Amino acid sequence: MKTRLTKSEMEIMEVLWDEGKALTTSEIVQRSKEKEKEWKDSSVHLLIKSLMDKDVIKVEGFKKTTKNYARTFIPVKNREEFLVGQIIDKKTTLAARKRIYSYLIEKESNLEMIEFIQKLLEERKEEIKVKQK
């Protein structure tokens, strides 16, 4: 099922994806400031709770801050997995998937990338053949 995120939730996800490691709420607020987005701690806490409820992020661990320990958060999926999941899920029909793949390939104009896709397809075909035996 596709997970719908608000603009603010998506901005938090972008910070986490861009950083590439688990962050505390305070670190998310700090990184957001660097991207010229001012978040209040209370707003980030609400957004974090919402993202956790949607199973988009999870607690990775704890980090010692000045006097206390703070939870650190990490995305459940990387950016690409998440975005593909927004386009294709279990309800996406075969016809719709064909149109999506056709559109993506049609938009690609780099020969090296076309060859890369072709190689991936050949490898995937072999994997499926092995599984079917």
Side-chain angles (χ1 to χ4, degrees), residues 3 15 23 28 37 39 62 66-67 102:
T3 304
V15 168
L23 297 175
I28 293 170
K37 179 67 179 175
W39 292 105
F62 294 88
T66 50
K67 294 182 181 180
S102 293

Side-chain angles (χ1 to χ4, degrees), residues 15 18-19 23 26-39:
V15 168
D18 289 346
E19 194 61 31
L23 297 175
S26 298
E27 290 171 329
I28 293 170
V29 170
Q30 181 59 39
R31 299 304 189 288
S32 297
K33 284 180 185 175
E34 294 167 9
K35 294 184 176 209
E36 300 179 15
K37 179 67 179 175
E38 290 287 327
W39 292 105

